[in-house]
Amino acid sequence: MGYRNSALYTLKYVAAMLGEDEDFLRECSIEMFAEDGSLCAYDDYPASELSEHIILFTQVGIENLQQIIRNLRGIGDPPSKPVAERNRKKPPLLRS
């Protein structure tokens, strides 16, 4: 039996890692289930359907989320990145 990564990553962490907007990733993950690597955690007791939850992803969930993003961008209807990010200048390429 091989090693299984048991780490969970928050939506905020994954957004920073992928360079994506948190709200965009939240929308992408709505149709994901535990089998897809998306989990919810509650930080307040007692939890109810109206409680705010934290979205968590497994490593497989991040891979599935990336596939959803690729599919959406292939359709040509993804939300754009925030204006501040679009206006950010890219660093010049280093030449050897």
Side-chain angles (χ1 to χ4, degrees):
M1 196 162 177
Y3 169 76
R4 294 187 67 171
N5 182 351
S6 61
L8 296 173
Y9 305 91
T10 64
L11 177 71
K12 181 178 180 178
Y13 181 94
V14 174
M17 182 179 75
L18 299 179
E20 297 287 352
D21 182 65
E22 285 184 52
D23 292 330
F24 172 57
L25 293 186
R26 185 181 316 280
E27 291 296 318
C28 290
S29 69
I30 286 175
E31 297 298 322
M32 293 178 69
F33 297 98
E35 299 83 20
D36 304 320
S38 178
L39 304 165
C40 293
Y42 293 93
D43 196 26
D44 291 325
Y45 180 82
S48 73
E49 290 181 16
L50 301 176
S51 298
E52 186 73 27
H53 61 272
I54 301 166
I55 299 174
L56 303 169
F57 298 99
T58 63
Q59 186 64 41
V60 170
I62 294 170
E63 293 166 11
N64 286 332
L65 188 61
Q66 288 174 309
Q67 184 60 48
I68 291 169
I69 293 167
R70 283 191 294 274
N71 291 345
L72 285 174
R73 294 221 163 108
I75 293 171
D77 191 23
S80 60
K81 291 196 175 194
V83 173
E85 190 170 326
R86 286 193 310 250
N87 292 337
R88 187 181 314 151
K89 291 185 178 182
K90 294 184 180 179
L93 296 175
L94 298 176
R95 295 193 173 132
S96 314

